[in-house]
Structure formats: structure tokens, C-alpha cells
């Protein structure tokens, strides 16, 4: 029995959705986490789409060793050249080519006849095959395509050398039964279908992406395409954590389980949420705050008597530590390191030392430091690398006064100070920073603030996204003082703009 492979497209289909843009460093960090999670394929981007995408696919391909790295490409020589150029340094490079096969896409988007689509598939897959052996072909909008025509296109792709055939439900239209039948139909009706792996790629417009992917597996698909936290176009893609844990929880139905290290799921999910500045809704399966919480008396009673009454999987199986531990200012480096390792973080000695300094700082401001605080400290390690460091700030604001802020920054030992007015203390602080740094023109695309844990002394985590001509950058700031967190987040983002 062949095990199911997980093809992760967080960095391509996920990243291309609004509000999920990431920079190179963030993508590399996520790719490393995906490698540790043991996904089989990382789709790192769409190499031709921008120099930034090309660079990140290339860097990820050269960094990651334990999984295949893919780049998306349309069926043109230019796209395929760029895709190969970007992935060729990888351990197992894959070119992922696609073309739409549904009547509406062919007529209105491609303005091509079915024969032209067929011919282009033949020629372009053969062209890609000259570069590398691992070729995935996707028939975009496959679930709204005529099954007989789809089978012809898939046959042509296999004849020309495709090794993986992906059946995308591009608009989230299909149902689990239909997906199962479509995959089974293709396997039964396409010549040499046993020589390739079939794959499913589902969007979540009707909330069925996970169920449809599992339907595809029942039909014979051996690869599931998904994203961490289900991020992606519109309502998103199949969520990696949900589809993996569904198979894990029901080995009776899905015995050919993927190789995913499920204990890394929670941490990877957190990392992606932190990076894109989102938080899961509390009832998000697997990773939401309430996913394992039992509030009602009847449920609590049942769980205390026997966990199986209301718990189909354990929080530990996805890497959530049930036992929360509290650290404080008397906790030493060993205790801190031990807790980090229990939470599943393996930091390098330098990262650990740097994180411990921030932990001690936090202990001066907050009596009890819990697991959520520790996680936030780890995920915010990038913030300290700012070219400009915050020396001090002074804010005056009220409901009848115009807010003013004085900011003092340090850069290479030089002290730079400015004062500015603003529409509230944060606007005033950001204006003062702009006066000092003179960053390129930009707009504030997003500002969000979250309490990391409970209590009035909790850490506030601020995420800002700045949009400039060269793209979107985000910045994060963490402090028990939300104005300080806002300033740090802005500095972190401006740093990237520069
Ligand atoms: O949704 C889709 O059809 C895609 C393809 C490019 C695979 O993302
Ligand atoms: Zn997609």
C-alpha cells in the first residue's frame, strides 16, 4: 500500500491570497518548519511571477533537503525555464505545470479551443520533461471539466512525461462523492494511469475542501495538496492540519497515512499565523483555542471519567502541551530551555541566548510567564534585528488633546530624535519615526493587536503591514506596553522597506 503524500502549497497558493504575503526570510523559516513537519513536497512559489518569487523558490530549493521543492508554471517555455532555473538546486526538483480544461475557462480566459489546450499540454509537458523527471500536471478547474475531455488531456500529459496528475477543484464546487468518482474515473479510463500518482487540490468555497480531498483519496489519489491553516484564495485551500488529523484519527478508513510529524502541527500553525498576522478563530479545528476545551459540565464529567467520551484525538498528538507551566524571574536558563524543548522548540545556542535575555526582560514586567508568552518570545525573535533600535519614547495623548510623541532611535551608535503630532499616540509615533528614517512612500495596509495570554499584564503583540511600490512587508512587535509593541512592529516593517 502506498502512503499518501502531502504537497504543501502554503508558500504559493496560500501566500498569493490577500493579506498573506511573506518576505524571503519568512518564507525560508516556514519552508524549514515544513521540512521538519515532513511534508513530501513544498510548492515554494511561482518562479516567473516576480523576481522575489524566483529568489524565494531558488533559496528554498537550495536550503531544504528532505522534501521535493516545486515551482508553478503555465504551459509556456518562459514559465518552464524560470521554474526549472529556480528549483534545479533542490534535492528532488519538481516543475508543476498547469492549464485550465473547463469550458468556461478555455473559452473566456484562455480563448483557446479544446484541441489547442490538448496540443499545448502535449508540447509543454514534453518541454519540461527535458529539464527534469519530476513533472506535475494540473488541469485547472478539473471538477467543472468534461470528464472525457479531461481524460484526453491527462492521457496526453502522461504520454509526454508527467509523473503526477493533479485534479484541482479550483472554485470549491465539487462534493466528496463526486471527487471520489472523478479520480476513480480517470484512473480507470486513462491509459498508463498506473504509472503516475493522482493528486487532489481543493478550495474551500463551500467548506468542503478537506472532505473533498478525502473523497479523492477514497477514489485512489495518492497526493493531497493543502496549506497550513487552510490559507489560500477566497475561502482558502484544504487545511493541512485538518486533513492529516482526519486520516490519523481514522486509520480504519485511511490506512495509508502520510509521514507527517503530527506533534509539530500546532507549532507550525502558530508560526504561519504569526507570520501573516492572523489568529485562528477559537473554534478552528485542531489549532483553535477551543479545539480541545471542554466547557460544559456533562462533557467535563465524561472526560474526567474517561477521555474517550468526548476526545477523538489528544492535544499532545498535535503538539499542544496540556499541562501549562508558569515560569518567573527566578527561573534559570536551564528551566527556560527545558520548557522550550517540552514545547517542541529546538533553538540554536545563539537563538536560545537571545531569547533568554528577552525572557528575563519580560520577567521584570510580568510576574508569571506562561507557555503562550514563551511561544510569542520565540516567534518574535526576528524583531530584534532592526537597523534602528528604539532608545526611548514619550507619548502624550488624551481625548481632548492632540497626541504628540517624541521618539529617540539609535543607529550605529548615533542618537536620532524627532517629535510629531498625530491622530492618536500610535499615529504620532509613526509620524515621528517617518521623520527620522524617511522611509519610501507607503501606506499602512493593516494594523492588528492581540493579547498573547490572559491578564492585564499580558504581552501585546502588534502586527503591521506596509504597502509600498515594491510590495507588502510586515513587522511584529511584542511588549507588555502596547504603544511600545506598536513602535517596534513599525520599526521592524520599515526596516524591511529600506
Ligand atoms: O486552484 C488551482 O486550480 C490551482 C492550480 C494552479 C493548481 O491552484
Ligand atoms: Zn489553488
Amino acid at each position: 500500500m502506498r502512503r499518501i503524500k502531502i504537497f504543501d502549497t502554503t508558500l504559493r497558493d496560500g501566500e498569493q491570497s490577500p493579506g498573506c504575503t511573506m518576505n524571503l526570510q519568512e518564507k525560508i523559516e516556514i519552508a524549514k518548519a515544513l521540512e521538519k513537519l515532513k511534508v513530501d513536497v513544498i510548492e515554494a512559489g511561482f518562479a516567473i511571477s516576480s523576481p522575489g518569487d524566483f529568489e524565494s523558490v531558488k533559496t528554498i530549493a537550495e536550503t531544504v533537503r528532505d522534501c521535493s521543492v516545486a515551482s508553478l508554471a503555465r504551459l509556456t517555455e518562459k514559465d518552464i525555464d524560470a521554474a526549472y532555473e529556480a528549483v534545479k538546486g533542490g534535492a528532488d526538483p519538481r516543475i508543476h505545470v498547469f492549464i485550465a480544461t473547463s469550458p468556461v475557462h478555455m473559452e473566456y480566459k484562455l480563448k483557446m479551443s479544446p484541441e489547442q489546450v490538448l496540443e499545448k499540454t502535449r508540447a509543454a509537458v514534453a518541454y519540461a520533461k527535458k529539464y527534469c523527471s519530476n513533472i506535475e500536471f494540473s488541469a485547472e478547474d478539473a471538477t467543472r471539466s468534461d470528464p472525457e475531455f479531461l481524460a484526453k488531456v491527462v492521457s496526453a500529459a502522461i504520454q509526454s512525461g508527467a509523473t503526477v496528475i493533479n485534479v484541482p477543484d479550483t472554485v470549491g464546487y465539487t462534493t466528496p462523492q463526486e471527487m471520489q468518482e472523478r479520480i476513480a474515473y480517470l484512473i480507470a479510463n486513462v491509459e498508463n494511469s498506473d504509472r503516475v500518482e493522482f493528486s487532489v487540490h481543493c478550495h474551500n468555497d463551500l467548506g468542503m475542501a478537506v472532505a473533498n480531498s478525502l473523497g479523492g483519496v477514497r477514489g485512489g489519489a495518492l497526493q493531497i495538496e493543502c496549506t497550513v491553516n487552510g490559507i489560500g484564495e477566497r475561502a482558502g485551500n484544504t487545511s493541512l492540519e485538518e486533513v492529516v488529523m482526519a486520516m490519523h484519527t481514522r486509520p480504519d478508513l485511511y490506512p495509508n497515512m502520510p509521514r507527517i510529524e503530527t506533534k509539530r502541527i500546532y507549532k507550525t500553525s502558530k508560526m504561519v499565523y504569526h507570520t501573516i498576522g492572523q489568529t485562528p478563530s477559537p473554534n478552528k479545528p485542531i489549532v483553535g483555542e477551543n479545539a480541545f476545551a471542554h466547557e460544559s459540565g456533562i462533557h467535563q464529567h465524561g472526560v474526567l471519567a474517561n477521555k474517550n467520551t468526548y476526545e477523538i484525538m489528544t492535544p499532545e498528538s498535535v503538539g499542544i502541551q496540556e499541562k501549562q507551566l508558569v515560569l518567573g524571574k527566578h527561573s534559570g536558563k536551564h528551566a527556560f530551555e527545558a520548557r522550550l524543548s517540552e514545547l517542541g522548540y529546538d533553538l540554536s545556542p545563539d537563538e536560545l541566548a537571545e531569547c533568554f535575555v528577552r525572557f528575563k526582560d519580560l520577567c521584570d514586567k510580568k510576574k508569571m510567564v506562561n507557555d503562550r508568552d514563551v511561544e510569542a518570545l520565540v516567534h518574535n525573535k526576528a524583531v530584534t534585528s532592526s537597523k534602528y533600535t528604539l532608545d526611548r519614547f514619550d507619548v502624550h495623548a488624551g481625548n481632548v488633546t492632540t497626541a504628540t510623541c517624541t521618539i529617540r532611535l539609535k543607529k550605529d551608535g548615533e542618537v536620532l530624535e524627532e517629535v510629531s503630532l498625530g491622530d492618536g499616540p500610535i499615529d504620532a509615533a509613526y509620524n515621528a519615526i517617518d521623520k527620522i528614517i524617511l522611509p519610501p512612500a507607503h501606506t499602512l495596509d493593516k494594523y492588528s493587536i492581540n493579547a498573547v495570554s490572559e491578564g492585564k499584564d499580558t504581552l501585546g503583540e502588534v502586527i503591521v503591514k506596509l504597502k509600498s511600490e515594491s510590495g507588502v512587508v510586515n513587522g511584529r512587535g511584542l511588549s507588555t506596553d502596547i504603544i511600545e509593541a506598536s513602535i517596534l512592529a513599525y520599526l521592524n516593517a520599515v526596516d524591511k522597506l529600506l
Side-chain angles (χ1 to χ4, degrees):
M1 192 170 20
R2 287 155 78 187
R3 97 182 145 70
I4 302 294
K5 290 189 179 156
I6 295 295
F7 174 114
D8 181 279
T9 183
T10 306
L11 300 175
R12 198 277 297 170
D13 221 352
E15 202 261 351
Q16 78 188 36
S17 63
C20 295
T21 325
M22 301 168 204
N23 65 26
L24 177 63
Q25 198 47 44
E26 290 164 339
K27 287 184 188 174
I28 295 169
E29 293 278 321
I30 289 178
K32 286 186 190 162
L34 291 171
E35 184 183 27
K36 286 187 186 154
L37 187 63
K38 285 202 176 303
V39 305
D40 297 278
V41 186
I42 295 175
E43 185 165 52
F46 189 176
I48 192 84
S49 67
S50 71
D53 244 42
F54 179 89
E55 198 51 38
S56 51
V57 179
K58 186 167 162 28
T59 315
I60 290 168
E62 286 163 4
T63 306
V64 158
R65 292 290 103 187
D66 192 29
C67 40
S68 174
V69 172
S71 168
L72 189 64
R74 288 162 298 191
L75 297 190
T76 67
E77 294 191 356
K78 257 174 92 179
D79 273 41
I80 295 168
D81 292 345
Y84 182 65
E85 208 40 47
V87 296
K88 71 179 184 196
D92 177 17
R94 176 181 290 191
I95 301 177
H96 175 193
V97 291
F98 78 101
I99 192 162
T101 51
S102 65
V104 65
H105 275 238
M106 289 190 290
E107 183 176 349
Y108 294 99
K109 188 182 81 173
L110 299 176
K111 304 197 189 328
M112 285 168 76
S113 69
E115 288 66 37
Q116 286 171 317
V117 167
L118 198 57
E119 200 31 58
K120 207 167 167 104
T121 300
R122 225 174 246 127
V125 174
Y127 182 79
K129 191 72 180 182
K130 282 196 290 191
Y131 281 131
C132 77
S133 56
N134 190 346
I135 305 292
E136 172 166 338
F137 171 78
S138 283
E140 193 188 6
D141 208 14
T143 51
R144 293 194 300 164
S145 303
D146 170 60
E148 278 181 32
F149 175 64
L150 183 62
K152 270 194 201 163
V153 179
V154 167
S155 281
I158 296 175
Q159 257 178 26
S160 298
T163 44
V164 179
I165 298 295
N166 184 35
V167 179
D169 183 29
T170 305
V171 289
Y173 172 76
T174 200
T175 64
Q177 173 82 18
E178 208 173 68
M179 195 51 142
Q180 175 173 347
E181 287 166 5
R182 182 137 300 212
I183 299 291
Y185 170 85
L186 290 173
I187 292 175
N189 290 283
V190 168
E191 210 183 317
N192 292 327
S193 63
D194 57 331
R195 293 204 194 148
V196 297
E197 280 171 5
F198 278 82
S199 163
V200 280
H201 173 113
C202 300
H203 281 264
N204 204 29
D205 298 66
L206 292 171
M208 292 196 284
V210 171
N212 290 340
S213 302
L214 294 174
V217 167
R218 301 284 283 176
L222 284 171
Q223 175 179 280
I224 298 175
E225 302 201 354
C226 49
T227 60
V228 176
N229 302 330
I231 63 169
E233 292 277 12
R234 309 179 306 278
N237 289 53
T238 297
S239 136
L240 181 148
E241 53 285 358
E242 292 175 27
V243 83
V244 166
M245 288 316 288
M247 287 188 276
H248 229 262
T249 308
R250 297 302 306 271
D252 51 329
L253 297 178
Y254 308 100
N256 46 349
M257 245 182 290
R259 62 170 188 167
I260 295 293
E261 291 277 345
T262 63
K263 289 201 160 128
R264 301 195 77 94
I265 283 182
Y266 177 68
K267 205 168 27 250
T268 313
S269 158
K270 275 237 146 187
M271 179 188 233
V272 171
Y273 276 128
H274 264 86
T275 305
I276 59 176
Q278 289 177 9
T279 44
S281 62
N283 62 338
K284 168 96 172 68
I286 321 294
V287 294
E289 205 179 308
N290 294 344
F292 293 95
H294 301 282
E295 288 290 336
S296 95
I298 293 178
H299 287 205
Q300 283 175 349
H301 177 74
V303 170
L304 284 175
N306 181 334
K307 284 198 168 192
N308 285 336
T309 48
Y310 287 100
E311 212 170 77
I312 56 165
M313 59 191 151
T314 63
E316 288 84 3
S317 65
V318 295
I320 299 174
Q321 291 290 326
E322 255 204 315
K323 186 169 58 92
Q324 287 270 329
L325 210 82
V326 175
L327 300 171
K329 70 179 194 191
H330 298 299
S331 308
K333 201 166 175 187
H334 286 305
F336 181 64
E337 187 176 5
R339 193 57 193 154
L340 278 177
S341 128
E342 277 159 15
L343 291 171
Y345 294 101
D346 32 22
L347 304 191
S348 69
D350 283 353
E351 286 171 334
L352 177 66
E354 187 268 325
C355 213
F356 185 65
V357 170
R358 288 188 292 119
F359 164 71
K360 280 292 180 189
D361 275 355
L362 180 59
C363 292
D364 284 339
K365 296 178 188 148
K366 194 173 187 285
K367 250 205 220 133
M368 292 189 293
V369 176
N370 66 23
D371 290 346
R372 299 287 96 83
D373 300 317
V374 172
E375 282 164 1
L377 284 178
V378 174
H379 288 295
N380 279 272
K381 61 179 189 284
V383 174
T384 50
S385 65
S386 179
K387 290 185 196 81
Y388 291 86
T389 49
L390 176 64
D391 187 34
R392 57 185 293 176
F393 69 93
D394 185 25
V395 160
H396 291 274
N399 61 348
V400 290
T401 49
T402 303
T404 56
C405 179
T406 308
I407 293 263
R408 191 190 286 175
L409 303 180
K410 275 193 178 159
K411 189 191 175 205
D412 304 329
E414 195 186 350
V415 175
L416 307 150
E417 189 170 289
E418 277 294 348
V419 61
S420 187
L421 300 174
D423 185 10
I426 291 165
D427 187 40
Y430 287 7
N431 290 339
I433 292 173
D434 284 352
K435 275 182 161 180
I436 298 174
I437 300 184
L438 301 171
H442 63 272
T443 52
L444 181 66
D445 211 29
K446 180 175 170 174
Y447 171 94
S448 72
I449 180 157
N450 289 303
V452 166
S453 54
E454 311 78 35
K456 285 191 199 159
D457 64 351
T458 184
L459 280 168
E461 186 187 45
V462 172
I463 310 247
V464 297
K465 281 190 195 285
L466 305 181
K467 203 183 212 165
S468 77
E469 250 188 2
S470 52
V472 179
V473 292
N474 57 18
R476 286 171 294 201
L478 190 68
S479 172
T480 47
D481 177 325
I482 58 171
I483 296 181
E484 184 172 24
S486 304
I487 292 172
L488 292 172
Y490 190 67
L491 277 178
N492 185 226
V494 167
D495 219 38
K496 296 176 189 171
L497 271 189
L498 297 172

